[in-house]
Amino acid sequence: MKTEKQLRWSNIALIAFVAVWGLGNVVNNFALQGLSVVTSWILIMIIYFVPYTLIVGQLGSTFKDAEGGVSSWIRATSTKRLAYYAAWTYWIVHVPYLAQKPQGILIAFSWLFKGNGNFINTTPALVVQGICLVLFLFFLWIASLGLTTLKRIGSVAGTGMFIMSILFIILAVSAPFMTKSATVQTPNMLSIKSYLPKFDFTYFTTVSMLVFAVGGSEKISPYVNKTKNPGREFPLGMLVLAGMVAICALLGSFAMGILFNAKHIPNDLMANGAYYAFQKLGSFYHVGNLFLIFYAIANVLAQISALAFSIDAPLKILLGDADPEFIPKKLSKMNKKDVPVNGYIMTGVLVSILIIIPALGIGNMNELFNWLLNLNSVVMPMRYLWVFLAYMLLNKHLKEFKSDYKFLKNPTAGKLVGAWCFLFTAFACILGMVPKTSLAANPSGWWFQLALNIITPVIFVALGMILPIIARRHQDA
């Protein structure tokens, strides 16, 4: 007879790896830090990623029957009001994510049909964002029909992207040894100095992208209690996950150094870097654009699936267990197809604003792509803050809860580690607001980006505070 607890540490590591990791994490951080990102990866794994995943393990094990994720953890350890804010944060941080997905789809189509990345470098930002708005509204409508086809594509596309990420590392690292046409692009790659970061203010403004890259392991919390011997095998799975991510990050960054000169990184590497890489690999191995085409197809499917899933899933988490004290009834009203129509309208309005308004002040499409990606690295980790707050609150009331797995048995140590991860995340988010463009080269554009980076999270928090006021008025009416 099969038992419910049949997952082993190897299963946990693989499930988590596919959920957390992607080639974009390597490309984006190499674009910001060059080869010195290798050292940054080692540091972030030790001081942040390992404790983060083990914290998630304990929270998931303690609240094994909770379906609301982070908000359920907060409700169990604190108040309904804080639980609402946790659910709101989880939803609202997906708005910049949704605003960027149509850009990724257009770039992938450009490479698929034109075979180059000129689209993002030559097309005016307002034109591209107009097309992105139409694309987003189309998928918003598709998602509102309650169709699940696009989400099913996600599992296939996710597997494809995972395979392409691993393939990239294998092909790139072996290219100089396997083919005569491949030459190492970064000079002095064997020198230790090439891998040492300069720990200045500019460096710390890029840490948010590293945090963004390794975050999200709370998605695997439901699997803790499906593991055979959770107290031993789940943390082992998490440590193996950390090792797998570290190996992929280090080898991936090394591979980027082989393909691109870390001293002269292309301005459009974040947008086009993965495509450039597969195009070069295809040339080295004499298969033309074959790798590029495979990657572009996998990426189009993955972006479409992520867009559809991220419109629907976070909103249902927010509204699914909606407390009428904090969320107006009209917002959580469902239609015949179990779709929160008014919630979709709110999503559509916020994302549309974030697609169009920035394009009015950032005319360069590549710069706009980089800015929106950076904004994601600022706001997305805001939801991780609730994970660490829940862990601190859990340790405050540790005797009241039972768990098959404990990361730290000493509640004081637990509070300290939770506080460290919380403060580190907040520090990364705040410094991440500083634009990555040159102030001297474009002062007005720099200040415009900084203003947007500060105003956007403030508006997100303010909107979350307004909803309970509207809900209270509806109750009193």
Side-chain angles (χ1 to χ4, degrees), residues 16-17 20-21 41-56 210-211 213-218 220 237-246 388 420-421 424:
F17 183 72
V20 171
W21 196 247
W41 283 125
I42 294 170
L43 292 174
I44 204 81
M45 294 296 158
I46 296 169
I47 68 172
Y48 186 76
F49 185 53
V50 171
Y52 180 174
T53 52
L54 296 178
I55 283 170
V56 166
L210 291 163
V211 171
V214 298
S217 60
E218 63 273 9
I220 60 160
M238 290 294 93
L239 290 172
V240 172
L241 163 68
M244 289 165 69
V245 170
F388 305 128
W420 157 255
C421 289
F424 185 82

Side-chain angles (χ1 to χ4, degrees), residues 119-133:
F119 174 76
I120 200 167
N121 295 317
T122 56
T123 315
L126 205 53
V127 173
V128 176
Q129 291 304 88
I131 301 170
C132 286
L133 179 59

Side-chain angles (χ1 to χ4, degrees), residues 263-280:
K263 305 291 183 184
H264 301 284
I265 295 171
N267 291 329
D268 62 343
L269 195 72
M270 283 189 177
N272 289 322
Y275 301 99
Y276 286 145
F278 280 113
Q279 192 173 48
K280 286 188 175 190

